[in-house]
Amino acid sequence: MPRAGLDPAQVTEAAAALVDEVGFDRLSMGLVAERLGVKTPSLYKHVAGQADLAHRIAVLAATQLGDAVRDATQGRAGGDALFAAAQAMRTYVRAHAGRYAALNSARPDGPDDPFAAAAARALGSLAAVLHGYDLDPDQETHALRMLRSMLHGFSTLEVAGGFQLDTDVDDSFTWMITFIDRGLRAATPPAH
Amino acid sequence: MPRAGLDPAQVTEAAAALVDEVGFDRLSMGLVAERLGVKTPSLYKHVAGQADLAHRIAVLAATQLGDAVRDATQGRAGGDALFAAAQAMRTYVRAHAGRYAALNSARPDGPDDPFAAAAARALGSLAAVLHGYDLDPDQETHALRMLRSMLHGFSTLEVAGGFQLDTDVDDSFTWMITFIDRGLRAATPPAH
DNA sequence: ATCCCTAGCTAACAGCATTAGCTTTAAGTT
DNA sequence: AACTTAAAGCTAATGCTGTTAGCTAGGGAT
């Protein structure tokens, strides 16, 4: 019988697709193996174990999310870039909720962990959006944390089904981004 | 030998204390039992299983969080109430990260699930803060979702160790709440 | 054609949630 | 005070999942 011909990347991709469908908390070696047409122990030839697999999903997610935000903001500036970045992130999280959950439960393992680099790069994609508002350098960190908190919070609450009221969620999202855009423009240097 | 004299509430409390220490993902029946000086199967006389236990922790968390926000905002209004509510929520999540994670991964089970009531009540505590800004009714929902997203996002990212830069996290938090307070006051009816 | 590395397999083990059935506590009754 | 009884807690056993050990055979290199 022929061989499956797997490698770590394929295993990671299959696992990522799985968690997007069934949720990160239901990640299991058995389901990943089944999806690849292989018996469970075979996976251990490519990944060190379930923890390692989860970590690899997180790296994949950080990379993809960072790229998505970067691509969306290409050639845009100011409020345009903010809207594009925000939409890109929300879209990514909705389409890949499992991967994103993996990303959030991952911690960098060592100083040369690829996850740290991927996460930093993703954060940089978001930070770039704020440069258009030329804020004080110290305010920039605060604004970045705020933006990140908001996008992360909104996306995860939405995916978890947390918004029950019948008001349209898309409307709330654009309202929120508009709110932030206005505030950031008002906070620009002519401070006092 | 004497009996332990447990009941569902005590088991839930012990489990909540456990997850606050070791993380919600490491909840296990064995550790809860050990903490109560009892063998694992004995727990099944009080809770239906691990899923039920997690659900009960979520109800506890929703109740406590709602109360904390409510207590903190007692007798305050406007920006004062907003700051108090925000601080109360962040403080609660930092002190009870495991419970809060249980809250976020819970879903209401039926129409008369106590979790739904507790969650609604907690949300109401937060919504009350916004009444001081007298916004348009439709904007109120948007603002509530924004506030919730932001507080949830900030708290969870902080607890997950997501804020690496050396800028003070407390400063970022107050900056963020100030930002929201300003924006909300500007959005008040004299719209146009 | 042969050699060798290793992907993938089967078998076995360990840990955890859960169930079945027993024992005995301790509360309530007479 | 003796007796009855619902259930708290225990031991033993089952099943599922992650993981390891050791074997087998596929397929590229020589």
Side-chain angles (χ1 to χ4, degrees):
Chain A
M1 50 189 106
R3 204 172 275 201
L6 300 178
D7 61 32
Q10 286 182 53
V11 175
T12 304
E13 189 58 57
L18 173 69
V19 297
D20 283 346
E21 290 172 25
V22 305
F24 178 61
D25 48 321
R26 303 223 187 136
L27 172 61
S28 86
M29 300 302 274
L31 288 176
V32 175
E34 183 182 22
R35 182 168 288 239
L36 289 166
V38 143
K39 302 293 180 179
T40 305
S42 304
L43 298 178
Y44 290 79
K45 293 290 157 122
H46 306 288
V47 299
Q50 190 169 252
D52 177 41
L53 182 53
H55 196 80
R56 286 168 189 268
I57 297 172
V59 176
L60 176 65
T63 305
Q64 289 181 334
L65 178 58
D67 288 352
V69 171
R70 194 164 297 245
D71 290 355
T73 54
Q74 273 298 10
R76 299 178 195 272
D80 254 21
L82 178 66
F83 272 84
Q87 281 293 2
M89 173 148 171
R90 182 160 86 112
T91 299
Y92 185 83
V93 175
R94 287 209 291 186
H96 304 290
R99 283 163 165 75
Y100 187 70
L103 166 57
N104 286 318
S105 62
R107 300 299 322 145
D109 214 18
D112 55 347
D113 184 348
F115 175 74
R121 187 177 158 84
L123 199 56
S125 301
L126 210 57
V129 168
L130 294 174
H131 292 151
Y133 291 93
D134 51 77
L135 307 160
D136 287 49
D138 46 326
Q139 292 210 342
E140 198 148 325
T141 299
H142 298 324
L144 176 58
R145 285 174 172 169
M146 175 180 73
L147 180 57
R148 203 178 144 207
S149 295
M150 189 139 62
L151 295 176
H152 169 69
F154 194 97
S155 302
T156 53
L157 286 174
E158 181 183 19
V159 162
F163 296 137
Q164 302 286 5
L165 278 52
D166 58 357
T167 302
D168 190 70
V169 177
D170 288 351
D171 288 351
S172 291
F173 191 72
T174 56
W175 185 92
M176 180 175 85
I177 304 301
T178 304
F179 184 100
I180 297 305
D181 177 56
R182 284 208 190 108
L184 287 177
R185 277 191 278 117
T188 296
H192 61 282
Chain B
M1 52 189 103
R3 205 172 273 201
L6 300 178
D7 60 32
Q10 286 181 53
V11 174
T12 304
E13 189 57 60
L18 173 69
V19 297
D20 283 346
E21 289 173 26
V22 306
F24 178 61
D25 50 321
R26 303 224 187 136
L27 171 62
S28 85
M29 301 301 275
L31 288 177
V32 174
E34 184 182 20
R35 183 168 289 239
L36 290 167
V38 143
K39 302 292 178 179
T40 305
S42 304
L43 298 178
Y44 290 78
K45 293 288 157 110
H46 307 289
V47 298
Q50 189 169 254
D52 177 42
L53 183 53
H55 196 80
R56 286 168 188 268
I57 297 172
V59 176
L60 176 66
T63 305
Q64 289 180 333
L65 178 58
D67 288 352
V69 171
R70 195 165 297 246
D71 289 354
T73 55
Q74 274 297 12
R76 299 179 194 271
D80 253 21
L82 179 65
F83 271 84
Q87 280 293 0
M89 172 149 170
R90 181 160 86 111
T91 299
Y92 185 84
V93 176
R94 286 208 292 185
H96 303 292
R99 281 163 166 76
Y100 187 70
L103 166 58
N104 287 318
S105 61
R107 302 297 322 142
D109 215 18
D112 55 345
D113 185 347
F115 175 73
R121 188 176 158 84
L123 199 56
S125 301
L126 211 56
V129 169
L130 294 174
H131 292 150
Y133 291 93
D134 52 77
L135 307 160
D136 286 50
D138 45 326
Q139 293 210 344
E140 198 148 325
T141 299
H142 298 324
L144 176 58
R145 284 174 173 168
M146 175 179 74
L147 180 58
R148 202 177 145 207
S149 295
M150 189 140 60
L151 295 177
H152 169 69
F154 193 98
S155 301
T156 53
L157 286 173
E158 179 183 19
V159 161
F163 297 137
Q164 300 287 3
L165 278 54
D166 57 356
T167 303
D168 190 68
V169 176
D170 287 351
D171 288 351
S172 291
F173 190 73
T174 56
W175 185 93
M176 180 174 84
I177 303 302
T178 303
F179 183 100
I180 296 304
D181 176 57
R182 284 207 189 109
L184 287 178
R185 276 191 277 117
T188 295
H192 60 280

